[in-house]
């Protein structure tokens, strides 16, 4: 579970896509919504693009669970930031929040193999 929490902190909250090199395998893939991103280099590009679309991004882990053998970690999260075109919206710089669940496959050496993300809700923080 520590590897996932370190990933959240050092990649997303530090706004550093290159830090993914320390955490994920070369053939890592993520499924987020209807999109699958395959390969570490493509994943880093996807992170950069996401960070551009959600300015001042902050990811808070609400809770995490780990399988007994450590091969799976699931986390509920709250992502906040400023809308700069997130999820195909018009970039208006309004405060947004997105909740979701991420399930990770973790290799025996602690490297991240895959990530499946389910988004639960997305809204403007001011409610309008």
């Amino acid at each position: 579970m520590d590897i996932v929490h370190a990933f959240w902190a050092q990649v997303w909250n530090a706004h550093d896509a290159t830090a993914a090199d320390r955490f994920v395998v070369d053939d890592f893939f993520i499924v987020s919504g209807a999109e699958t991103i395959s390969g570490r280099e493509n994943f880093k590009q996807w992170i950069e693009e996401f960070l551009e679309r959600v300015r001042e991004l902050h990811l808070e882990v609400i809770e995490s669970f780990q399988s007994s053998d450590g091969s799976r970690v699931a986390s509920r999260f709250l992502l906040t930031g400023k809308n700069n075109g997130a999820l195909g919206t018009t970039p208006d710089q309004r405060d947004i929040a997105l909740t979701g669940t991420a399930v990770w496959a973790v290799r025996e050496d602690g490297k991240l193999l895959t990530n499946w993300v389910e988004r639960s809700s997305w809204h403007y923080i001011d409610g309008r």
Side-chain angles (χ1 to χ4, degrees):
M1 187 162 24
D2 292 342
I3 187 75
V4 169
H5 289 191
F7 177 87
W8 298 122
Q10 294 177 35
V11 175
W12 289 111
N13 287 338
H15 303 171
D16 183 5
T18 63
D21 289 332
R22 297 191 298 268
F23 297 97
V24 304
V25 297
D26 288 339
D27 59 349
F28 176 85
F29 74 89
I30 182 173
V31 177
S32 181
E35 187 175 14
T36 299
I37 296 88
S38 298
R40 183 170 59 202
E41 293 306 314
N42 291 332
F43 178 50
K44 291 188 312 187
Q45 180 63 39
W46 181 81
I47 292 168
E48 288 289 344
E49 292 168 5
F50 198 93
L51 288 169
E52 180 61 30
R53 290 188 299 258
V54 181
R55 299 267 172 90
E56 300 176 27
L57 181 145
H58 178 76
L59 191 141
E60 175 188 348
V61 177
I62 298 167
E63 63 182 334
S64 292
F65 303 92
Q66 181 173 295
S67 63
S68 60
D69 66 1
S71 66
R72 293 285 188 274
V73 174
S75 297
R76 289 189 319 117
F77 63 86
L78 169 65
L79 185 148
T80 57
K82 302 227 178 262
N83 179 27
N84 195 41
L87 305 177
T89 62
T90 301
D92 56 17
Q93 307 312 309
R94 291 173 58 192
D95 292 330
I96 58 171
L98 182 140
T99 59
T101 303
V103 179
W104 300 83
V106 183
R107 197 166 67 183
E108 289 133 5
D109 65 357
K111 291 284 189 176
L112 300 172
L113 297 167
T114 57
N115 184 213
W116 298 272
V117 178
E118 294 293 330
R119 299 178 210 145
S120 301
S121 70
W122 182 92
H123 61 275
Y124 287 107
I125 291 177
D126 63 11
R128 292 182 280 139

